[in-house]
Amino acid sequence: MLVPKINKTQIFQLFLLAAFAAFVIQCKKENPVSEVIKETINPNSDSTKVAEQNSIQQEVPQKTNSTYTAFIFPKKKRDSAMAAFNKQFSEEERYTILALNRLDSKNKWRADTLAIPNKIDNTLMSYTPFPTYVDKLKDVKKIVFFSYPIQAYSVYENGKLIKWGPTSMGKKNAQTKRGLMHANWKKELAISTVDSEWKLPFNVNVHNTLGIGWHQYDLPGFPASHSCLRLLMDDAKFMYGWVDTWVLNKGGATVKAHGTPVIVFGDYKWGGKKPWKNLIDDPHSNDISVEELNGIIEPELPKIMEEQKNREQVISETAAKSQEVPAA
């Protein structure tokens, strides 16, 4: 039987197609949402505006000494408690409170107890559990961390924290891969080939063969995804514009330079008390120390710097070639 010859480019294209299909199928296995995404992006939100400005800020953000109180939703009086919550806090304040409790507005009905900060900071930066500056990252232009224990992500530029927020990572039987990965390709709106109503806004792939990526999707207050990294809509939009993706060789057969490094770390206490509820008794209970983050960074730093150097060289060579004047 004759077997048709397939060149390297065709092989790689088939590989990308299969990987993308795997990603879509994995995300399809998440708790299904058949309706069109109703949560809209607020381009004027404080969170989005501050995130866009943070990249050019010179000062390191400061964490305040916040305290928290409990807002309880009794089972038999949930509706009246929710009405009181809606009346007491504005829409922007509710957004911030829910984010601190790893919820979005669609899933606020899941709340039984919310940790309420004494002062509302719509940027979330006052409440950061991540260090505001990490000297070990001073030479790393961009990096993203996803913490399993506290279900939160952080974004650093040259060691400075520029943004953090809530996430919902892989559930117990479909956990997100730990370790160092890199941003690969991105798509503003990924649509499932299985169900055209399945929408994944601002998707950024970070593991091509496993189909892992971050994108907007429900935040129910616990790890619920099928290995992907869920974000709030505003956060997903910011991350989509901020991240650097891979550079492929001519023809797309091989990777020439990797994108922004991403590190997923730690373990979630399955079945235990949700970590953010501990803030009510101890405002520092979710904090990640510089020493802890250094321990996560150190084993990966040589590889991160190697890939960053290679990317800079590739970008520089590409720019130089684009400026070359063809011989007459």
Side-chain angles (χ1 to χ4, degrees), residues 50-62 125 132-133 157-162:
V50 171
E52 291 171 346
Q53 294 168 358
N54 271 336
S55 295
I56 58 174
Q57 286 181 351
Q58 297 302 313
E59 296 182 1
V60 174
Q62 296 299 312
M125 295 302 282
T132 56
Y133 183 76
E157 290 183 358
N158 294 107
K160 183 179 69 174
L161 178 71
I162 68 162

Side-chain angles (χ1 to χ4, degrees), residues 173-211:
N173 63 353
Q175 297 183 34
T176 309
K177 178 184 180 298
R178 274 61 156 196
L180 176 65
M181 294 175 275
H182 292 84
N184 298 322
W185 48 268
K186 63 182 182 179
K187 188 173 179 62
E188 187 168 335
L189 182 61
I191 300 176
S192 171
T193 55
V194 178
D195 186 342
S196 61
E197 292 186 344
W198 186 261
K199 294 173 171 47
L200 306 172
F202 303 108
N203 171 63
V204 177
N205 177 274
V206 298
H207 197 295
N208 209 35
T209 56
L210 295 179

Side-chain angles (χ1 to χ4, degrees), residues 138-193:
K138 66 181 184 299
D139 295 323
V140 179
K141 291 187 175 182
K142 292 182 178 183
I143 190 168
V144 183
F145 294 92
F146 280 87
S147 168
Y148 238 116
I150 60 171
Q151 293 293 286
Y153 77 90
S154 59
V155 179
Y156 286 86
E157 290 183 358
N158 294 107
K160 183 179 69 174
L161 178 71
I162 68 162
K163 188 170 176 60
W164 82 277
T167 184
S168 175
M169 300 166 68
K171 55 190 175 183
K172 190 174 183 179
N173 63 353
Q175 297 183 34
T176 309
K177 178 184 180 298
R178 274 61 156 196
L180 176 65
M181 294 175 275
H182 292 84
N184 298 322
W185 48 268
K186 63 182 182 179
K187 188 173 179 62
E188 187 168 335
L189 182 61
I191 300 176
S192 171
T193 55

Side-chain angles (χ1 to χ4, degrees), residues 46-48 50-51 54 61-64 66 68 92-103 117 119-130 132 152-153 161-167 219 232 235:
D46 289 339
S47 176
T48 302
V50 171
N54 271 336
Q62 296 299 312
K63 178 178 179 177
T64 59
S66 300
Y68 299 82
E92 285 189 344
E93 289 173 335
R94 293 196 299 270
Y95 181 95
T96 298
I97 293 167
L98 291 172
L100 286 172
N101 290 271
R102 311 313 190 256
L103 293 162
K119 293 183 180 180
I120 301 296
D121 174 10
N122 293 326
T123 72
L124 297 185
M125 295 302 282
S126 297
Y127 321 118
T128 173
F130 295 92
T132 56
Y153 77 90
L161 178 71
I162 68 162
K163 188 170 176 60
W164 82 277
T167 184
L219 263 62
L232 292 169
D235 291 359

